[in-house]
Amino acid sequence: MDPKHIEELRQTYMQHPPEGMTTKDIRSMSDDDLLDMDYFLHEEDDLDDEIGEEGFYLF
């Protein structure tokens, strides 16, 4: 992963830490932990495209 992208993520999360975290927590995270956190916070974003406008379909 691009170090510039990782640093941008770190700065973003330091300015607006997720609920239950502090700026100090974000600052002390390893790059891998930061990327993992970002992935898990946004993993459902990809599902929105697959669900469709009406939601889940049951047949």
Side-chain angles (χ1 to χ4, degrees):
M1 184 53 94
D2 181 23
K4 182 179 176 183
H5 177 70
I6 294 171
E7 191 55 36
E8 288 174 2
L9 276 177
R10 189 177 308 279
Q11 291 302 318
T12 299
Y13 285 120
M14 285 174 59
Q15 291 173 2
H16 306 284
E19 186 176 339
M21 299 192 82
T22 65
T23 301
K24 184 179 176 183
D25 296 332
I26 303 297
R27 188 180 302 120
S28 65
M29 291 176 84
S30 70
D31 292 350
D32 288 336
D33 288 341
L34 183 68
L35 291 171
D36 287 345
M37 179 186 73
D38 183 61
Y39 173 80
F40 287 113
L41 288 173
H42 295 100
E43 72 179 326
E44 292 182 7
D45 294 349
D46 293 336
L47 295 177
D48 291 340
D49 295 334
E50 297 174 9
I51 293 173
E53 290 187 25
E54 299 296 322
F56 289 104
Y57 299 100
L58 298 174
F59 296 99

